[in-house]
Amino acid sequence: TDNDGNRTINRISICGKSGRGWIFEFYTLTRNSENVMQICMTGVEKASKTGNLDLLGILWIKTIDSSGKVQKIEGPALTMMKAEYKKAAASLIVSTSGIQNGGTVQVPAGVFKSTKTVKGECSFLGKTYKSTIWYHSSVPVTGMVKAVTNDKKYVTELIGFGLKGAGSFFR
């Protein structure tokens, strides 16, 4: 919710794998628009462990327009878009403190015992966010269960996970 009371709902799902890449789906709903995009990325596990965003690769991007038509961007057409996404990722600076025991955390996806926490500081588009992030080894790919900013203004919670993938807006 922004300062004017306008709400944004974001859903980030890992919908499966395609070859050597994970398929991430990004859904955003605002008062004025609804957008869906999929990105097939490689190097996710290594980038997550090291924090090195240069390890991420983009194999393809899919979008759905307002009429429901799916567009897939790959090959030479993707080259220019890769540069833009890489520029956006490079503007994201994350620093973390040591890993600590996080205890038990309850989120919509379930109860997670013996979590690990990390204190993080993230700068994005000129604004800095400090947060606590909980991780659990049973959650595939990133391990993230919950994240809460220090001011409690933003909370991200895992609503489901598994190896079969989330339901997709793409048919």
Side-chain angles (χ1 to χ4, degrees), residues 14 22 24 44-45 48-49 133-136 139-145 158:
I14 302 171
W22 288 101
F24 287 79
V44 174
E45 292 92 339
S48 179
K49 287 180 182 174
I133 307 160
W134 287 263
Y135 295 93
H136 195 272
V139 178
V141 186
T142 66
M144 191 177 95
V145 173
L158 184 66

Side-chain angles (χ1 to χ4, degrees), residues 3-35:
N3 293 336
D4 295 326
N6 298 313
R7 293 182 61 186
T8 299
I9 298 171
N10 293 299
R11 174 183 166 199
I12 303 170
S13 304
I14 302 171
C15 296
K17 287 193 93 171
S18 175
R20 57 190 175 91
W22 288 101
I23 301 170
F24 287 79
E25 187 167 285
F26 302 89
Y27 170 79
T28 304
L29 177 65
T30 68
R31 177 188 302 171
N32 301 319
S33 67
E34 185 175 23
N35 299 295

Side-chain angles (χ1 to χ4, degrees), residues 56-103:
L56 290 176
I58 299 174
L59 298 178
W60 51 258
I61 297 172
K62 285 184 185 177
T63 59
I64 300 176
D65 68 18
S66 59
S67 68
K69 183 180 175 191
V70 175
Q71 179 182 7
K72 185 174 183 181
I73 304 161
E74 57 188 336
L78 183 58
T79 303
M80 285 182 57
M81 292 188 78
K82 280 183 182 179
E84 289 303 312
Y85 281 100
K86 193 153 187 115
K87 193 186 307 179
S91 70
L92 183 62
I93 301 164
V94 179
S95 61
T96 60
S97 63
I99 298 172
Q100 298 179 354
N101 290 327

